[in-house]
Amino acid sequence: MNKKRKLMIWLFAALFAAGAATMCGTAPWKDGRNGGRNMLNQLPETVQGGYLKPTLTVRESGEEYIPVQNGIPVPTFEPQRRRTLSLNGDWRKERFDSDHELSMSPRSKAWVQRVEDAAGGRTTSGFDDSSWWTVSLPQPENGMTGEESPSGAERYENGVWYRRTFDLDASWSGRSVTLKSLGISYVCDIWVNGRWAGYHEGGFTPFALDVTPLVKEGTNTMAIRVDNPPWGSRIDTIPALKDTDFFNYTGVIQDIYLAAAPLTHVSRLDIVPVNEQGLLRFKAVVENRSDRDASVFLEGRLFEAVTEEDLRLASPYADTIKASAAEAEGWDARKMELKAYGKAAVVWDVRVKEPKLWSMEEPNLYVAELTLSNDEGEGHSDSLSAQFGIRTVRTSGSQIHLNGKPVFLRGIARHEEWPGYGRTAEWGRILSDLRQVRELNANMVRTGHYPNHIYTYILTDRLGLAAMSEIPLWQFETIHYETQEKKGLSDQMWREMIFSQYNRPSVLMWSTQNESKEVKLRKAYNERLVGDVRERYNDGRLITQSAAADQPGAHDESMEPLDVAAWTMYFGIFHGGEPYEGTKRFLEEAHRLWPDKPLLNTEYGYWSREDNGEVDIQEHMYKETFRALTEKSAITPEADERPDGYLAGIDYWPMYNWYVNHGQWVQTMGLYHMDRSLEKPVKERLKRDYGAMAGR
């Protein structure tokens, strides 16, 4: 080794020794600050009017785009083997009569001060909350009786404070600390140790906050202010309409936890299958939360996933399904230079040898592991694992092609809701539901009308169920689209949905909305969302919507920007005509107008009533509508192309009965009651019909 080389190594070693504490997470605590940045300092002093601003943007970084929210790259929400502290469990809570106008106002330093003054110390560590109720989170603030009845869920649409303490030991020192929430409804502000950490609007999508500058060794305090304005009381919330046909739950609905990583760490790894021959595009986003520049080295490994179902379904962690190493080319080690508090993306074109494709019949999966170390490839300090599958989804005329072959989607929609838990989800309950869906010979689940828990899509990957994921724009009218053109929350929810489900091969389609009346603004909205995906973070999926067949009809011009033209169809129920003839004529007209797009039915069904007094009518309506739909299917049960067919999929509405927001009745269109055990006659008919369509 020459002298110059030795000198360079010595200099690097000296520099690395000085900076290793920052990169590898051994720096001392700095009075609860860790050298980070406080979100409060990023707020303006005051704001005069306007809507509450979105917190997520997509920023250009070189030739790539990075999603950024609350000042940090949007992290992966797939569970990782990093140091984690679950905040699920006992909290103290107090309801309050909220000023909704204040809650929905733009944030500023003056706003935070006003709320803290009104809170009377509730945001501080020393506040005495011993007189408050104790509640185990996550769960809805709404009282739940566990009964399938109009009064089964309390209609509480207002404010609630939550508080708890938690302890961090010295092992958290010198690390980035991220607060991750998988769902708080509807708008929340969070304080850590008396300092405001940030806010989030929307109860159906996850978000994260950097709390590195706020936490400390020892006992910490967190306070959350939640406000849930009644649906129908404002035009700027999503959903917006009164008496929306699902339930408005309040509170910390899904998991909440702290995750630690080195100050320089991998935030996310986005994987896009390019073709059926195993070509993949990998993009890693690395973040530096330290006040020093960092030089890091990235290298990755690929593994095939286990095929034994018991092993696949035991845990949401990707590393639990690793099997043998997979051969791949192109995932070479990369060096990255990051400025202090900087972020950057690096891209690989990777080719997997002899790829095993993901499909509903054979849900083959892979696990990618990315490791970060110093720039000599030594001293591993961080890693990230991601579950993914190799598959392509495209359209060809009136067909949807999965891995280059035509496929017919036999769908069942599902509200993620249980009578005793509301929307609060966990691995076992989700798994039980999806297994039951699969037992009915379905191969797709529509997770309407909102993004479901992160685990839902990890499980659809592993179970071999396709998914259609949708944001909760439910029956928007002109004023709502006009408002969102100014506010941009709909665009944020769209991005939050996509970036939290990015690597899920089971998600074949994104849906922009459900049954909105406005057409021209809806078309412009669809164009904007499609353009956002295709130009900034193209993931290769299809984009559709769930329009109502009678609003305005088959000639709906908002279908033009979309890959798949899709409608809910209730002929003989909400629309004119008979279920068979009305559905048949509509499909013929839709194909005439959109001959080069696959057509998709996103809802069909009928209610049974709470006393099951109309189960016979429910079964009749199903039979007649199903007959019209399947006569136009593009694929035969033998998976052959049908020359005169053009319908690419159907979706029964839905799997289970559910609560509606007006509380006047329970919606009874489900194949099962809410208890998941009491079934209706239509269930067995659908199971038989879907089985026949699958060639079983």
Side-chain angles (χ1 to χ4, degrees):
M1 187 181 295
N2 59 41
K3 292 182 179 180
K4 184 176 181 182
R5 171 71 172 164
K6 288 182 179 179
L7 179 61
M8 289 177 66
I9 292 174
W10 182 88
L11 287 171
F12 174 77
L15 290 169
F16 182 74
T22 298
M23 190 184 84
C24 297
T26 58
W29 294 89
K30 298 181 180 178
D31 189 27
R33 291 177 174 80
N34 280 345
R37 298 159 295 175
N38 194 333
M39 279 293 294
L40 181 62
N41 296 332
Q42 299 180 35
L43 293 180
E45 292 294 333
T46 60
V47 176
Q48 299 298 319
Y51 295 113
L52 182 61
K53 296 182 182 298
T55 54
L56 191 153
T57 61
V58 179
R59 296 181 183 171
E60 196 167 359
S61 176
E63 297 181 357
E64 297 298 323
Y65 288 89
I66 296 175
V68 176
Q69 189 167 33
N70 300 310
I72 60 174
V74 174
T76 180
F77 291 98
E78 189 171 354
Q80 300 296 316
R81 296 295 186 184
R82 288 168 169 162
R83 190 177 306 279
T84 301
L85 177 66
S86 172
L87 296 177
N88 294 353
D90 287 349
W91 289 65
R92 310 291 280 179
K93 67 122 178 183
E94 179 189 57
R95 291 184 176 185
F96 70 98
D97 190 18
S98 181
D99 180 344
H100 304 312
E101 189 62 36
L102 175 64
S103 299
M104 299 300 294
S105 297
R107 299 300 185 257
S108 65
K109 293 178 182 177
W111 185 98
V112 173
Q113 188 63 56
R114 178 181 172 185
V115 170
E116 290 178 348
D117 291 344
R122 288 167 175 80
T123 63
T124 65
S125 298
F127 181 78
D128 181 7
D129 56 21
S130 60
S131 64
W132 291 15
W133 289 93
T134 299
V135 61
S136 181
L137 298 180
Q139 70 173 34
E141 174 60 19
N142 314 73
M144 307 295 297
T145 69
E147 299 174 352
E148 181 178 313
S149 72
S151 58
E154 175 196 14
R155 191 177 180 184
Y156 184 76
E157 301 171 294
N158 212 329
V160 56
W161 280 100
Y162 297 104
R163 286 174 50 88
R164 69 161 290 166
T165 60
F166 57 92
D167 292 327
L168 298 179
D169 61 29
S171 67
W172 290 70
S173 173
R175 295 179 177 271
S176 66
V177 183
T178 304
L179 173 67
K180 293 186 178 183
S181 166
L182 301 188
I184 298 179
S185 185
Y186 171 74
V187 59
C188 69
D189 289 83
I190 298 176
W191 285 259
V192 177
N193 294 325
R195 290 185 287 174
W196 184 80
Y199 71 96
H200 183 258
E201 180 181 357
F204 298 96
T205 45
F207 67 95
L209 295 170
D210 176 15
V211 295
T212 310
L214 308 181
V215 294
K216 62 183 181 179
E217 183 176 357
T219 300
N220 295 259
T221 303
M222 184 176 296
I224 305 177
R225 180 188 188 271
V226 177
D227 187 10
N228 191 19
W231 285 349
S233 66
R234 306 181 62 88
I235 61 172
D236 59 339
T237 61
I238 299 175
L241 288 185
K242 181 181 180 181
D243 297 341
T244 298
D245 199 26
F246 48 105
F247 203 81
N248 187 14
Y249 290 102
T250 299
V252 179
I253 306 298
Q254 311 292 9
D255 307 279
I256 182 169
Y257 58 98
L258 295 173
L263 293 177
T264 303
H265 59 271
V266 184
S267 294
R268 59 185 300 115
L269 176 61
D270 294 337
I271 305 166
V272 178
V274 177
N275 60 32
E276 299 90 48
Q277 289 72 48
L279 181 61
L280 304 161
R281 186 177 192 268
F282 282 24
K283 180 169 76 174
V285 177
V286 180
E287 178 190 9
N288 179 12
R289 285 195 204 169
S290 76
D291 56 5
R292 301 176 183 178
D293 294 351
S295 179
V296 296
F297 192 79
L298 292 173
E299 54 186 336
R301 296 187 298 169
L302 288 181
F303 300 87
E304 293 182 6
V306 296
T307 56
E308 298 89 340
E309 187 162 285
D310 287 348
L311 295 177
R312 293 165 71 97
L313 302 179
S315 164
Y317 287 90
D319 65 352
T320 64
I321 64 169
K322 286 193 312 183
S324 59
E327 287 191 72
E329 299 173 342
W331 208 5
D332 54 303
R334 297 286 183 88
K335 182 178 178 180
M336 296 183 70
E337 305 287 346
L338 291 99
K339 296 293 186 183
Y341 299 117
K343 60 189 77 70
V346 59
V347 173
W348 294 266
D349 291 321
V350 178
R351 186 177 297 278
V352 176
K353 296 181 180 179
E354 299 181 5
K356 296 179 180 179
L357 303 183
W358 185 95
S359 68
M360 286 83 89
E361 294 74 25
E362 295 184 78
N364 296 305
L365 292 170
Y366 290 84
V367 176
E369 282 189 349
L370 191 62
T371 302
L372 178 148
S373 59
N374 69 49
D375 70 356
E376 293 295 314
E378 300 173 353
H380 290 176
S381 62
D382 186 41
S383 63
L384 182 144
S385 297
Q387 166 185 308
F388 73 98
I390 302 174
R391 63 96 184 94
T392 60
V393 56
R394 304 184 181 96
T395 65
S396 177
S398 56
Q399 296 176 352
I400 291 175
H401 281 196
L402 182 66
N403 300 326
K405 299 177 182 178
V407 64
F408 188 83
L409 301 173
R410 307 181 304 275
I412 300 176
R414 167 181 169 270
H415 271 294
E416 193 156 72
E417 179 186 55
W418 297 266
Y421 303 96
R423 280 201 300 110
T424 299
E426 59 87 31
W427 181 261
R429 286 198 291 274
I430 301 168
L431 174 57
S432 179
D433 277 9
L434 295 179
R435 274 178 157 163
Q436 202 168 29
V437 169
R438 192 178 61 170
E439 287 169 0
L440 300 189
N441 296 309
N443 65 1
M444 185 189 80
V445 58
R446 177 187 172 208
T447 57
H449 300 292
Y450 41 80
N452 285 190
H453 192 285
I454 299 303
Y455 293 167
T456 303
Y457 306 99
I458 292 175
L459 280 167
T460 52
D461 281 0
R462 299 186 189 182
L463 287 165
L465 284 168
M468 171 182 169
S469 192
E470 183 173 280
I471 55 174
L473 269 76
W474 188 84
Q475 297 192 5
F476 257 36
E477 297 179 357
T478 302
I479 192 170
H480 304 123
Y481 279 111
E482 290 175 340
T483 299
Q484 290 306 323
E485 283 185 347
K486 300 173 185 175
K487 181 174 179 175
L489 179 62
S490 57
D491 299 57
Q492 171 169 307
M493 286 187 175
W494 176 252
R495 290 166 167 177
E496 287 174 328
M497 173 181 71
I498 292 175
F499 288 123
S500 64
Q501 302 171 29
Y502 202 89
N503 293 336
R504 303 285 73 84
S506 58
V507 179
L508 303 185
M509 287 181 286
W510 304 122
S511 174
T512 65
Q513 63 84 36
N514 178 78
E515 295 185 341
S516 295
K517 297 177 182 177
E518 166 63 39
V519 178
K520 290 190 179 297
L521 292 180
R522 175 154 47 102
K523 180 183 179 184
Y525 160 78
N526 286 342
E527 289 173 339
R528 186 169 74 248
L529 296 194
V530 170
D532 194 41
V533 173
R534 301 294 186 239
E535 295 168 16
R536 295 179 176 87
Y537 44 94
N538 193 1
D539 59 1
R541 291 183 174 92
L542 304 180
I543 301 177
T544 188
Q545 64 179 339
S546 182
D550 64 336
Q551 296 177 3
H555 60 284
D556 186 344
E557 65 181 271
S558 71
M559 296 293 175
E560 193 277 329
L562 306 175
D563 300 305
V564 178
W567 292 268
T568 66
M569 301 176 195
Y570 290 103
F571 291 93
I573 305 170
F574 302 127
H575 316 155
E578 294 297 317
Y580 173 76
E581 287 295 336
T583 305
K584 178 174 176 288
R585 285 195 297 269
F586 177 85
L587 289 172
E588 291 170 346
E589 178 68 2
H591 177 60
R592 185 185 69 81
L593 294 167
W594 307 103
D596 297 323
K597 290 183 186 291
L599 306 185
L600 182 67
N601 161 268
T602 54
E603 290 182 29
Y604 70 105
Y606 191 78
W607 50 82
S608 63
R609 301 208 180 276
E610 290 175 52
D611 62 357
N612 283 338
E614 295 193 10
V615 292
D616 292 343
I617 301 175
Q618 183 184 44
E619 189 173 11
H620 170 76
M621 289 293 187
Y622 160 80
K623 182 178 67 174
E624 291 299 293
T625 306
F626 179 84
R627 182 161 66 99
L629 292 171
T630 52
E631 284 181 3
K632 304 301 179 183
S633 63
I635 306 298
T636 69
E638 295 74 31
D640 296 325
E641 297 181 24
R642 178 176 283 155
D644 59 345
Y646 39 79
L647 185 68
I650 59 178
D651 187 67
Y652 184 83
W653 182 263
M655 186 67 175
Y656 309 108
N657 290 354
W658 75 98
Y659 293 130
V660 290
N661 202 48
H662 52 64
Q664 297 173 28
W665 61 73
V666 171
Q667 262 289 11
T668 61
M669 298 176 76
L671 298 168
Y672 288 86
H673 287 266
M674 292 180 77
D675 64 4
R676 272 66 175 163
S677 60
L678 184 58
E679 63 187 55
K680 306 172 191 179
V682 68
K683 169 256 172 181
E684 199 58 38
R685 178 177 286 274
L686 178 141
K687 179 180 181 180
R688 185 172 63 249
D689 289 342
Y690 275 24
M693 293 183 73
R696 295 170 187 160

